[in-house]
């Protein structure tokens, strides 16, 4: 894939990273330990623990995405972005627009998931 074309994905990836950073910052307090005096009844404590679990799940998914996106930026740096890891063909632009951190093409993904 052309280096120039690869570079067009950099701002998109950086925008997504900024979006995730903002979300992580805003949900930070949701996952901080629940003080016993915060929840008055047993039910509300249960509620806040459930909320905390949900927030933790979302945060770990986002951290995983951050890892993938940073890896994608490195691929741009090395000029390897947009090339399938398995068959070395260009990954179609539509796929990269949908999933900018994709490292394999759809055909290879299907082959891999059938194994
Ligand atoms: Zn492939």
């Amino acid at each position: 894939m052309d280096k120039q074309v690869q570079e067009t994905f950099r701002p998109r990836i950086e925008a997504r990273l900024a979006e995730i950073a903002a979300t992580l910052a805003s949900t930070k307090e949701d996952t901080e330990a629940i003080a016993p005096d915060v929840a008055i009844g047993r039910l509300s404590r249960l509620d806040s623990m459930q909320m905390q679990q949900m927030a933790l799940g979302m945060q770990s998914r986002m951290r995983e995405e951050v890892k993938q996106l940073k890896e994608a930026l490195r691929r741009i740096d090395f000029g390897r972005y947009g090339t399938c890891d398995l068959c070395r063909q260009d990954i179609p632009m539509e796929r990269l627009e949908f999933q900018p951190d994709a490292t394999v093409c759809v055909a290879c993904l299907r082959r891999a998931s059938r194994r």
Side-chain angles (χ1 to χ4, degrees):
M1 183 177 268
D2 273 359
K3 180 77 178 145
Q4 253 178 322
V5 179
Q6 294 181 38
E7 285 294 340
T8 63
F9 284 94
R10 189 189 293 275
R12 305 173 65 112
I13 294 169
E14 281 168 350
R16 179 68 187 140
L17 278 169
E19 196 182 299
I20 294 175
T23 309
L24 283 176
S26 73
T27 58
K28 194 170 175 282
E29 59 193 34
D30 291 344
T31 54
E32 272 157 12
I34 304 159
D37 57 331
V38 167
I40 303 137
R42 190 172 155 267
L43 209 67
S44 57
R45 182 165 167 77
L46 213 65
D47 278 350
S48 49
M49 281 168 80
Q50 237 160 29
M51 292 256 303
Q52 189 184 33
Q53 280 310 310
M54 273 169 55
L56 281 172
M58 192 190 71
Q59 285 180 359
S60 70
R61 277 194 299 278
M62 285 190 157
R63 288 209 187 85
E64 190 51 41
E65 196 181 342
V66 166
K67 240 193 282 176
Q68 301 297 325
L69 289 168
K70 284 188 173 160
E71 186 54 40
L73 287 177
R74 264 196 294 275
R75 290 163 70 91
I76 296 177
D77 290 340
F78 289 113
R80 285 189 285 111
Y81 184 76
T83 302
C84 175
D85 267 354
L86 296 171
C87 68
R88 304 286 157 200
Q89 303 280 316
D90 279 359
I91 299 172
M93 295 284 281
E94 308 84 71
R95 171 156 165 73
L96 291 170
E97 271 161 29
F98 178 69
Q99 197 192 336
D101 57 353
T103 56
V104 292
C105 69
V106 174
C108 287
L109 190 70
R110 290 222 178 97
R111 260 196 299 277
S113 66
R114 267 206 300 268
R115 250 176 239 151

